[in-house]
Amino acid sequence: MSQAQSDVLMFLETVHPYDSLPRDQIELVSSRFEQVSFSKGSEIYHRGNVLAGIYLIMDGAVEILDAANTVVSELAARNSFGERGLLSDGFAATTATARSDCTLLMLPKDEFHRLMQEQAVFSRFFTRGRFADARRGDMAIQKVSELMSRPPIVCASSDTVRSAATLMRERHVSSLGVVDNGRFLGILTTRDLTGRVLAEGLNPDTTPVSAVMTPDPVGLPGEALGSDILHLMLERRVGHLPVVEGDRLVGMITQTDLIRFHAISSAQLIRDIASAESAEDMRAITARIPQLLVQLVGSNNAHEVVTRLITDIADSVTRRLIMLAERELGPPPVPYVWLACGSQGRQEQSGVSDQDNCIFIEDGVEPEDMPWFQQLAAKVSRGLDICGYFYCPGDMMATNPRWCQPVSVWRSYFRDWIYKPDPTAQMLASVMFDLRPICGASSLFQDLQAETLEDASRNSIFTAHMISNSLKHAPPLGLLRGFATIRSGEHRNQIDMKHNGVVPVVDLGRVYSLIGRLAPVNTRARLLAAEEAGIISGAGARDLIAAYDLIADMRLRNQVRQVRDGRKPDNFLAPYDFGDFERSHLRDAFVVVRTMQSALANGGRAPV
């Protein structure tokens, strides 16, 4: 394998869905890609051109323009483009232009179509992404409930105009719902304050809101579509529309909400992060992630697409913080690679995430060089915390000297965990088997990953310990078709959708990858690879994947509900707040997970 192909292979191993392909396929694909370069401002292809293949950005930025030469997408490293035309008639549906000097990989169209036909994970990624992107960009078919501000800010009809104006200023809103005893009466806007109070010379300290509000304004139900909003705003020449259920106000939608919908995308956030000059600048950008989560889930994207896009943002923040730290500290004394583990390593981050990371350093490092890496770890981890990726409670971070070591030390760690398994070793191995390079010399990790998988899979004692460890997280199943909910405290009558929902499947996927020496780190990709390798039966794999999809989707939808209610998203869900249908399906999904755990514990394949 040439050095150029080796570089392409290492890059592809960090890009989904290529990282989920079987080893022989990703090596084959790496040889089929052609590397091409474009200077800033040059056209890569024009709308209507015959496409040679699909493009993948290695470095630089690309603009995608529609027929009216309007920029519809701005893409950065690891983004693909051109698939839309290849999946229709083979002609470019858009125009692609280099925003900066860029290096691209072009996969010929014949190879792209072969992968679409032969590799399910590849086909699923590009097919789902195609429809999801189209819908995500079309506000007209979004439901009003996905677009509105929530919860609404309200006042009483008897409140004075001054107190209402003060509330608007404090809450940074341009309108208030007027509600008495739970009944929606009207709306007060900044325009009302200008035209009906100031212009008329009314005393704001004595004038009640009821005297100047707009009574009984036209409203929309949550099930209405974005097109209804546009029509009403244009017809009535208003900038605020209440969202109502009967005579109850449930939200407010404004022109600002519509602008925000168009402005937020993972690509936009990543582009903004790439130019940020400090962690504080990036904090303002990552603060928009909850709204992006609402938008992505509201567009019915698959959970693996949502969590992948959310993780891409964390990766970009990490890389930018590393670049800023190196700018301050100077070049590294020896090559290194920064790796993520946990949910970021698996590309499964949701609306709430801590940081789990470590550093592998080339073995030539001298003791006097280590302070450079310790300073790097401190700066990056602190920056991540500022950006909302809080410090790991278990101290699984590069700031811990134990997790910032030369490759030879890491090799000894893994060997000790494998050949001297104990509860601590099992826990550490569980975290570290989910490692993924984020920035730096990924070759420092690749060989060790393959070597570790080989050693671990051959050690039956270690494998047995890992299986035992994977069964510690049990699905929350109670007696008589009920749920085993938390009995006391803040989350009483709720279930933990992370530790008792998602994590049991994550643990199963990790063990399957260990048994089969499978390279994917993402849980869903591991389950698919385990099926293909015969580690689990086809029927068992289909059931487990379907169960995982339902559990992960409900977890994300619950987080979105919390965001809309003005709460910080977490992993706790109250199952009895859902209807019988959803509750029954969720319980069935947990039963599937428990069945697969039992099959693993008994040393057999999943039931056919």
Side-chain angles (χ1 to χ4, degrees), residues 4 8 11 30-40 42-45 51-62 79 81 96-98 100-108:
V8 171
F11 178 70
S30 69
S31 69
R32 301 291 172 85
F33 268 106
E34 300 172 14
Q35 186 168 314
V36 290
S37 298
F38 291 88
S39 58
K40 180 179 180 180
S42 59
E43 192 173 84
I44 300 166
Y45 59 72
L51 287 167
I54 186 175
Y55 293 85
L56 175 62
I57 304 174
M58 282 191 78
D59 184 56
V62 172
N79 289 148
F81 60 97
T97 304
S100 64
D101 293 346
C102 57
T103 302
L104 309 177
L105 295 176
M106 194 278 289
L107 184 67

Side-chain angles (χ1 to χ4, degrees), residues 3 10 35 70 95 102 163 172 225-226 245 291 302 308 310 339 356 364 395 399 467 507 512 549 552 575 577 586:
Q3 183 60 47
M10 285 192 294
Q35 186 168 314
T70 300
T95 297
C102 57
S163 66
H172 305 289
L225 299 179
E245 291 180 2
Q291 185 58 40
R308 169 59 193 271
I310 297 295
L339 303 105
D356 298 282
D395 203 20
T399 50
I467 291 173
D507 289 341
Y512 296 150
D549 288 346
D577 286 351
L586 178 60

Side-chain angles (χ1 to χ4, degrees), residues 562-584:
Q562 293 169 331
V563 172
R564 289 188 193 139
D565 288 344
R567 293 181 287 156
K568 185 176 180 180
D570 60 33
N571 292 299
F572 296 93
L573 177 148
Y576 296 104
D577 286 351
F578 291 81
D580 289 343
F581 182 83
E582 285 186 294
R583 199 164 59 243
S584 175

Side-chain angles (χ1 to χ4, degrees), residues 205-219:
D205 291 314
T206 58
T207 302
V209 167
S210 58
V212 294
M213 71 181 187
T214 300
D216 300 319
V218 62

Side-chain angles (χ1 to χ4, degrees), residues 402-549:
R402 186 178 186 184
W403 311 131
C404 178
Q405 292 291 337
V407 173
S408 58
V409 175
W410 280 101
R411 181 172 280 107
S412 68
Y413 285 166
F414 279 105
R415 284 178 176 168
D416 285 346
W417 296 336
I418 292 168
Y419 293 106
K420 301 174 185 177
D422 59 33
T424 300
Q426 296 164 30
M427 183 273 292
L428 294 173
S430 294
V431 174
M432 294 303 177
F433 273 120
D434 293 348
L435 287 172
R436 180 172 61 88
I438 301 297
C439 184
S442 58
S443 58
L444 294 174
F445 168 71
Q446 304 299 343
D447 290 344
L448 179 57
Q449 180 194 35
E451 175 187 319
T452 300
L453 280 173
E454 181 82 14
D455 288 347
S457 64
R458 287 180 174 176
N459 190 308
S460 59
I461 297 176
F462 175 75
T463 301
H465 277 281
M466 287 294 288
I467 291 173
S468 176
N469 187 62
S470 74
L471 303 178
K472 291 180 180 178
H473 294 103
L477 293 170
L479 300 175
L480 302 176
R481 297 194 58 79
F483 294 91
T485 59
I486 298 169
R487 295 186 176 183
S488 61
E490 178 186 0
H491 301 294
R492 184 173 179 269
N493 295 329
Q494 297 179 331
I495 54 179
D496 187 337
M497 290 293 282
K498 177 181 178 180
H499 291 102
N500 299 113
V502 171
V503 169
V505 187
V506 170
D507 289 341
L508 286 171
R510 187 184 297 114
V511 171
Y512 296 150
S513 69
L514 173 62
I515 294 171
R517 305 174 194 173
L518 308 174
V521 176
N522 174 266
T523 297
R524 205 174 192 280
R526 280 172 165 170
L527 300 181
L528 290 167
E531 177 189 9
E532 185 172 339
I535 306 301
I536 50 178
S537 71
R542 287 190 293 273
D543 284 348
L544 183 56
I545 291 171
Y548 177 55
D549 288 346

Side-chain angles (χ1 to χ4, degrees), residues 91-376:
F91 293 91
T94 55
T95 297
T97 304
R99 275 181 55 85
S100 64
D101 293 346
C102 57
T103 302
L104 309 177
L105 295 176
M106 194 278 289
L107 184 67
K109 57 185 177 183
D110 289 345
E111 184 67 7
F112 173 79
H113 288 304
R114 181 189 71 80
L115 290 171
M116 290 293 291
Q117 292 176 354
E118 297 179 5
Q119 300 298 325
V121 66
F122 193 88
S123 174
R124 185 181 300 108
F125 177 81
F126 284 106
T127 302
R128 286 183 175 175
R130 178 188 179 194
F131 294 116
D133 287 345
R135 185 174 179 192
R136 195 162 56 243
D138 189 354
M139 187 192 68
I141 61 174
Q142 293 291 310
K143 289 185 178 180
V144 168
S145 58
E146 309 297 342
L147 300 170
M148 68 183 183
S149 300
R150 190 171 180 179
I153 310 302
V154 302
C155 67
S157 63
S158 58
D159 289 346
T160 65
V161 166
R162 184 178 298 280
S163 66
T166 301
L167 179 60
M168 286 187 193
R169 182 185 64 187
E170 291 175 349
R171 302 300 293 271
H172 305 289
V173 295
S174 57
S175 66
L176 295 175
V178 183
V179 176
D180 284 349
N181 298 319
R183 183 169 175 266
F184 176 50
L185 300 178
I187 184 173
L188 180 71
T189 69
T190 51
R191 179 183 294 181
D192 295 327
L193 297 179
T194 302
R196 298 177 180 177
V197 180
L198 290 177
E200 296 296 330
L202 299 181
N203 185 341
D205 291 314
T206 58
T207 302
V209 167
S210 58
V212 294
M213 71 181 187
T214 300
D216 300 319
V218 62
L220 288 171
E223 294 303 306
L225 299 179
S227 58
D228 299 320
I229 302 170
L230 297 173
H231 295 160
L232 273 176
M233 283 187 171
L234 290 171
E235 290 172 6
R236 302 296 180 97
R237 297 184 180 181
V238 295
H240 304 78
L241 283 174
V243 183
V244 296
E245 291 180 2
D247 63 357
R248 188 169 64 90
L249 178 68
V250 296
M252 190 76 71
I253 190 158
T254 69
Q255 291 177 343
T256 302
D257 295 317
L258 305 186
I259 293 170
R260 184 174 62 240
F261 177 87
H262 283 298
I264 295 181
S265 71
S266 60
Q268 178 66 48
L269 297 190
I270 288 171
R271 190 191 73 167
D272 292 345
I273 288 165
S275 60
E277 289 299 323
S278 68
E280 287 73 16
D281 291 343
M282 283 180 265
R283 175 170 57 188
I285 299 167
T286 56
R288 291 145 63 188
I289 290 177
Q291 185 58 40
L292 174 63
L293 179 69
V294 171
Q295 187 169 311
L296 292 172
V297 174
S299 297
N300 289 331
N301 285 287
H303 70 88
E304 68 268 25
V305 174
V306 176
T307 54
R308 169 59 193 271
L309 293 174
I310 297 295
T311 305
D312 284 349
I313 297 169
D315 290 355
S316 296
V317 169
T318 305
R319 282 190 285 267
R320 184 62 178 171
L321 288 169
I322 290 172
M323 194 206 76
L324 294 174
E326 286 190 0
R327 182 191 296 175
E328 183 177 344
L329 296 172
V334 296
Y336 73 96
V337 59
W338 182 286
L339 303 105
C341 44
S343 60
Q344 185 183 0
R346 297 190 305 273
Q347 297 178 302
E348 294 168 4
Q349 287 190 314
S350 64
V352 51
S353 295
D354 61 355
Q355 55 173 293
D356 298 282
N357 45 59
C358 61
I359 298 176
F360 283 26
I361 308 169
E362 189 176 73
D363 280 335
V365 65
E366 299 291 340
E368 58 267 26
D369 295 330
M370 291 304 292
W372 188 96
F373 294 101
Q374 292 161 2
Q375 292 180 66
L376 173 74

